[in-house]
Amino acid sequence: MPDHTGSSSPTSSELSAVEQALTDLLDSGAATANEHSGAEHQARLRARLAQAAGERGLLDVAYRTIDTELGALLLAATPLGLVRVAYAVEGHEQVLAALAARIGPRILHAPDRLDQAAHQIDEYLHGDRLHFELPLDLRLASGFRHAVLAHLQNIAYGSTASYAAVAAAAGSPRAVRAVGTACARNPLPVVVPCHRVVRSDGSMGQYVGGTVAKQALLALESSAPTGSR
């Protein structure tokens, strides 16, 4: 997956200097190293770029992908916290392009900056974690959608709630369809558990990652070991 560092002109001389210096290092590394060591060298230099940009507050979004039982998940974070979790069916490249448009063009593949999120999601998917302890950036949701996402975090692990119950809890009992839309557009599936919202008749309803993924998450939570956190 290519890096998305943006094509627009830097907004400060500091940004220009940092990016140019480290980009030059990337270019020289790629030109002089063999295929195997060159890949490792470029990975180290990308890490340096991510660290330098992060320390100077120049990085809008850091991202990585992780392989899970649910398929490849894209994780993206801003300096405020985790801002996006995306299933492969959503199109990771399209998600990154949307983040560039909504948040900012300085987007970099920086796996180390998502280590905590990746570790906690792995623990959760293996039944070893009941609660996420991650800073979240909910800027991609606003108004009633934001209220719905805030309430979803109150639905206990292993429990479910109907769309109608969530609408009432979010302050708009008649907005059942809007709750469905908020869940379908949840920017942080898995971490913000829209999979715990089901239809009033008990059927699962739709899910951004597909009904198979939703069924897998509900089954996971129904059979979590007692020693989970």
Side-chain angles (χ1 to χ4, degrees), residues 10-69:
T11 57
S12 70
S13 60
E14 182 181 35
L15 170 61
S16 178
V18 170
E19 290 191 339
Q20 187 60 56
L22 291 172
T23 299
D24 289 345
L25 286 173
L26 279 170
D27 291 341
S28 65
T32 59
N34 62 42
E35 182 177 353
H36 177 67
S37 63
E40 293 180 348
H41 189 52
Q42 290 183 56
R44 290 196 298 271
L45 291 172
R46 287 192 185 95
R48 289 176 60 190
L49 174 58
Q51 180 180 359
E55 289 173 351
R56 291 163 177 78
L58 304 175
L59 188 60
D60 294 319
V61 179
Y63 76 90
R64 71 180 290 178
T65 56
I66 58 174
D67 292 323
T68 76
E69 295 82 350

Side-chain angles (χ1 to χ4, degrees), residues 4 35 40 42 54 111-112 114 120-121 126 133-134 136 138 140 142 155 162 164 167 169 190:
H4 289 250
E35 182 177 353
E40 293 180 348
Q42 290 183 56
D112 290 351
L114 280 301
Q120 290 194 22
I121 289 174
H126 285 88
E133 301 172 46
L134 297 169
L136 302 180
L138 296 177
L140 297 178
S142 60
I155 304 175
S162 69
V190 181

